[in-house]
């Protein structure tokens, strides 16, 4: 059978019910198609993370369509074409965006501990360390979204806004602003600061949805433990601060970010009960399951999913705190992330692993 077209693969992400069963079956068993599907998922995630941002009213966006059209038509009339580069800005953005969103995405995904505590919820997870989960892209694309197992409602959407300086960032978030002791190559002057407020989401587990997800994967869901169906979890993190040195380039040469680490609160079900049941389902690749099972049952390790084709991982320490180092296999960027006393800090940029570690260890 021929491979499905790119349009069909993208439709599997946007509207899977509109794809023929034969095509779905082919993709599920074809490593080449799974790889292409993973690339489409990356593009969709990158676009969503770029567009799904709420700016406050004080941020003025000015788009001069006439000027843009004039530049385009003038360039076409003159026969100009963009210079070919080995790494155009859009790919640079994708390379930097993936690890940064994975690392600093705790700000963008979760929040709301105070609300949970006020409602007599109890904490079942608090990130105290970060550990990589490495797998081929074809395996990671098979990972279902959380809403495949229930209803996910974002109760407080991420709001990102610029602030004037470090003092304003501290006053708005209450977080100590990371200060770089010595800037690496390519980063000069003062950074631009942005802040993100607390964000939150409420997840309600649904056995009916879970059974449908497992059936679509060709399996059968085992009976859930008592109390799991209909159980509720509140996920929370933030606020956060991002300092970026870009010098007018489309991608910052250095980013230093800090955010309150993710927490999960439950209305009654222990963390291990939910985790063990999800790991028993035939919806996760075995190599991913094996790595997740090595985590302690106390709910303190935040997994960081990493594609082995693109990134290498290593461990290091920053001020005596265990840290995870990520390095792009093509040498385009590196990042280091760690958790200290409930706060996630990340350093990333178009630098070597040695350089980002030097920046991280020199933070004040």
């Amino acid at each position: 059978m021929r491979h499905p077209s790119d349009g069909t693969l993208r439709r599997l992400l946007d509207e899977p019910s509109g794809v023929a069963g034969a095509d779905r079956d082919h993709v599920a068993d074809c490593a080449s198609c799974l790889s292409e599907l993973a690339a489409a998922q990356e593009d969709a995630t990158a676009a969503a993370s770029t567009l799904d941002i709420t700016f406050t009213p004080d941020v003025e966006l000015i788009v001069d369509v006439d000027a843009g059209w004039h530049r385009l038509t003038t360039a076409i009339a003159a026969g100009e074409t963009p210079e070919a580069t080995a790494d155009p800005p859009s790919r640079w953005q994708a390379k930097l965006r993936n690890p940064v969103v994975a690392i600093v995405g705790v700000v963008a995904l979760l929040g709301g501990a105070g609300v949970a505590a006020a409602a007599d919820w109890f904490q079942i997870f608090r990130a105290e360390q970060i550990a990589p989960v490495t797998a081929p892209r074809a395996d990671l694309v098979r990972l279902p979204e959380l809403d495949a197992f229930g209803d996910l409602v974002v109760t407080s959407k991420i709001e990102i806004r610029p602030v004037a300086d470090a003092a304003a960032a501290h006053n708005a978030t209450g977080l100590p602003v990371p200060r770089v002791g010595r800037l690496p190559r390519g980063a000069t002057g003062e950074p631009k600061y942005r802040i993100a407020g607390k964000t939150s989401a409420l997840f309600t587990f649904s056995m009916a949805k879970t059974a449908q997800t497992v059936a679509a994967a060709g399996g059968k869901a085992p009976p859930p433990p008592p109390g799991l169906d209909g159980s509720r979890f509140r996920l929370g993190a933030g606020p956060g601060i991002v300092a970026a040195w870009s010098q007018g380039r489309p991608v910052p040469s250095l980013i230093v970010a800090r955010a309150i680490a993710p927490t999960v609160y439950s209305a009654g079900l222990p963390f291990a009960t939910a985790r063990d049941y999800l790991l028993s389902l035939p919806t996760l690749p075995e190599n991913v399951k094996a790595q997740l099972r090595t985590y302690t049952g106390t709910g303190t390790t935040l997994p960081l999913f990493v594609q082995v084709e693109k990134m290498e991982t290593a461990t290091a320490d920053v001020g005596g705190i265990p840290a995870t180092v990520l390095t792009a296999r093509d040498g385009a960027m590196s990042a280091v992330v760690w958790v200290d006393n409930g706060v996630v800090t990340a350093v990333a940029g178009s630098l070597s692993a040695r350089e980002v570690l030097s920046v991280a260890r020199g933070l004040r």
Side-chain angles (χ1 to χ4, degrees):
M1 177 182 176
R2 61 174 178 79
H3 296 295
S5 66
D6 291 344
T8 300
L9 293 177
R10 181 54 197 255
R11 197 170 187 185
L12 271 173
L13 300 175
D14 299 332
E15 191 183 6
S17 61
V19 177
D23 284 332
R24 290 200 300 270
D25 293 343
H26 173 90
V27 171
D29 295 327
C30 177
S32 175
C33 287
L34 284 173
S35 180
E36 292 301 319
L37 184 64
Q41 178 68 73
E42 283 184 8
D43 291 341
T45 300
S49 66
T50 301
L51 298 174
D52 190 21
I53 296 177
T54 300
F55 289 94
T56 55
D58 61 325
V59 178
E60 183 180 5
L61 298 180
I62 301 175
V63 180
D64 192 336
V65 177
D66 291 337
W69 178 253
H70 175 73
R71 289 194 299 270
L72 176 61
T73 54
T74 301
I76 293 174
E80 297 177 7
T81 57
E83 292 184 9
T85 62
D87 220 356
S90 60
R91 290 185 60 200
W92 270 93
Q93 291 170 352
K95 287 176 180 176
L96 202 58
R97 181 185 296 117
N98 285 341
V100 169
V101 168
I103 294 167
V104 190
V106 292
V107 179
L109 295 178
L110 313 168
V115 175
D120 292 329
W121 298 55
F122 68 94
Q123 182 174 294
I124 60 172
F125 176 87
R126 178 177 183 265
E128 296 179 3
Q129 60 181 337
I130 292 176
V133 174
T134 59
R137 184 173 65 177
D139 282 347
L140 291 182
V141 77
R142 294 180 179 178
L143 296 179
E145 300 292 340
L146 186 57
D147 60 6
F149 304 107
D151 299 315
L152 182 67
V153 178
V154 177
T155 53
S156 179
K157 192 174 182 180
I158 182 173
E159 182 179 280
I160 299 176
R161 64 183 177 90
V163 291
D165 50 29
H170 170 70
N171 291 336
T173 64
L175 289 169
V177 179
R179 305 276 189 164
V180 177
R182 183 178 180 182
L183 289 172
R185 60 183 173 88
T188 59
E190 293 298 316
K192 299 290 186 181
Y193 289 97
R194 290 185 179 274
I195 62 169
K198 290 182 179 179
T199 57
S200 61
L202 180 65
F203 173 72
T204 304
F205 184 87
S206 168
M207 192 58 213
K209 267 196 169 184
T210 299
Q212 291 176 355
T213 299
V214 174
K220 182 178 181 181
L228 179 59
D229 191 21
S231 59
R232 295 183 300 155
F233 303 89
R234 186 174 293 278
L235 308 98
I241 300 171
V242 177
W245 287 258
S246 60
Q247 280 70 56
R249 290 178 295 183
V251 174
S253 56
L254 174 65
I255 290 177
V256 180
R258 180 164 285 169
I260 299 297
T263 55
V264 179
Y265 289 78
S266 169
L269 198 74
F271 170 77
T273 301
R275 180 206 60 193
D276 292 347
Y277 182 74
L278 290 176
L279 288 179
S280 74
L281 301 177
T283 52
L284 299 180
E286 286 302 322
N287 63 337
V288 174
K289 286 185 182 181
Q291 293 176 74
L292 291 174
R293 287 193 183 106
T294 63
Y295 291 1
T296 61
T298 55
T300 59
T301 302
L302 180 68
L304 179 62
F305 294 95
V306 180
Q307 292 183 19
V308 295
E309 296 93 339
K310 289 192 172 184
M311 305 293 293
E312 294 179 335
T313 65
T315 57
D317 75 89
V318 176
I321 304 297
T324 296
V325 181
L326 301 99
T327 306
R329 293 188 180 276
D330 62 3
M333 63 81 58
S334 297
V336 57
V337 57
W338 68 98
V339 182
D340 184 13
N341 196 29
V343 176
V344 179
T345 303
V347 176
S350 49
L351 304 165
S352 67
R354 179 182 59 82
E355 287 172 315
V356 294
L357 276 171
S358 177
V359 172
R361 290 166 177 162
L363 290 181
R364 305 193 301 268

